[in-house]
Amino acid sequence: MNSSSPGSGVTIVGSANIDIVYGVERIPGPGETLLASSAARYPGGKGLNQTVAAARAGAPTTFIGAVGHDEFGEELLATLTDDQIDTSLLRRSTRATGQAFIMVDANAENAIVVSPGANADVTALTDSDRACLQSTGVLLMQLEIPLDTVREAAAVAHAARATVMLNAAPAHALPAQLLADLDVLIVNEHEACLIGASDDLATASATLAALVPRVIVTLGAAGCALYEDGAEVGRVAAPRVAAVDTTGAGDTFCGAFAAAISDGAAYGDAAEFATHAAALSVQALGAVPSIPVRAAIEEARA
């Protein structure tokens, strides 16, 4: 784990989408058509969600991503600006702004299909991007943008002694050099098993924990498991709440955790802070609208 980082704040390199959310009784099977009970449009994308979560949790936050020159792009730019996020490194693409089509069932579970659009243009870091990564305290990334960009950003930030975090979603194999540049890997149960190459969660988690200094496995309503130096070091229980929409819970956790670490919180305390943030987020519809502010998180922890 990098220590004594000279940087400050949180920088997110990642995706930005418009989410089209359909409420359904259950997730349809192959070849099946269902009528939705509701439809709504929200700002989204894992990168943007985590950026908003970090900002609302109190961290000075910068977003490096891309949106199109279209109505959706303007909407996402306004969302970032409203939360006082630094958008000076946001790319404007000739491609359409990314879109995600989300079904949320009666049990608050979801299924998601993403059309990346402009997110495919988050490539080849600029000199300004590199300067930002060399001065940040925490870098947080996901896998909805080109992997080469994730690898490059991790290497730049790691060399500058920032704390480098990756939320490995959507899950796929991770290059050895990327793993070597990470300080924190955050995955859910499904992602842990895919990347850790085992159907047994404990085995998969142990495999990942041997590769990255700190690994967090989020467990939904059960909270999260914390690994450090190759071993499980604790668990954080989630508060019991009535879930309405779990779509943004993982992203809220990641952004809030990054903000807490950037503020100097200890590992376990940051995870507990993030768990309460995620629990608040599942109680409202929409990934971005449901993300809580710091005061609400602190009140929930009291």
Side-chain angles (χ1 to χ4, degrees):
M1 185 81 172
N2 279 342
S3 59
S4 301
S5 169
S8 62
V10 176
T11 298
I12 285 86
V13 179
S15 59
N17 297 320
I18 282 290
D19 291 349
I20 311 298
V21 182
Y22 300 98
V24 293
E25 181 63 26
R26 56 184 172 78
I27 306 299
E32 183 180 10
T33 299
L34 291 180
L35 295 180
S37 59
S38 64
R41 188 174 89 192
Y42 303 105
K46 296 192 72 63
L48 184 143
N49 294 344
Q50 293 178 17
T51 301
V52 173
R56 290 185 186 172
T61 306
T62 300
F63 180 59
I64 300 176
V67 297
H69 287 282
D70 51 24
E71 176 188 356
F72 288 167
E74 294 299 327
E75 185 174 337
L76 295 182
L77 177 58
T79 296
L80 293 163
T81 302
D82 287 346
D83 276 291
Q84 300 182 327
I85 291 158
D86 184 345
T87 60
S88 61
L89 300 176
L90 180 70
R91 294 156 167 77
R92 300 304 295 265
S93 171
T94 57
R95 303 176 194 246
T97 298
Q99 297 180 53
F101 301 89
I102 303 170
M103 292 176 289
V104 180
D105 71 14
N107 295 314
E109 297 297 333
N110 61 69
I112 305 173
V113 176
V114 176
S115 175
N119 295 304
D121 285 344
V122 187
T123 58
L125 296 178
T126 67
D127 289 344
S128 295
D129 294 337
R130 288 174 168 271
C132 174
L133 295 174
Q134 288 165 348
S135 64
T136 195
V138 174
L139 167 63
L140 173 60
M141 301 173 292
Q142 322 76 34
L143 297 176
E144 289 185 339
I145 59 172
L147 183 59
D148 285 348
T149 308
V150 174
R151 294 169 64 179
E152 183 182 6
V156 171
H158 179 78
R161 299 189 62 77
T163 298
V164 182
M165 303 180 181
L166 175 67
N167 173 217
H172 56 73
L174 301 177
Q177 186 54 57
L178 174 58
L179 288 166
D181 286 334
L182 297 181
D183 296 294
V184 183
L185 176 66
I186 304 173
V187 288
N188 64 22
E189 299 165 81
H190 174 71
E191 293 152 359
C193 289
L194 281 176
I195 301 169
S198 175
D199 291 333
D200 180 72
L201 180 60
T203 299
S205 299
T207 297
L208 297 175
L211 300 173
V212 179
R214 288 177 172 173
V215 174
I216 300 176
V217 181
T218 58
L219 305 169
C224 63
L226 309 181
Y227 292 79
E228 188 168 22
D229 297 329
E232 183 175 335
V233 294
R235 297 208 170 202
V236 177
R240 304 186 76 171
V241 298
V244 173
D245 179 5
T246 61
T247 303
D251 293 336
T252 298
F253 180 97
C254 293
F257 179 79
I261 290 294
S262 77
D263 197 37
Y267 183 29
D269 288 342
E272 192 262 349
F273 177 84
T275 299
H276 276 86
L280 287 170
S281 77
V282 304
Q283 298 177 65
L285 288 172
V288 167
S290 69
I291 296 171
V293 297
R294 183 174 187 132
I297 302 169
E298 296 291 6
E299 182 179 351
R301 296 176 74 197

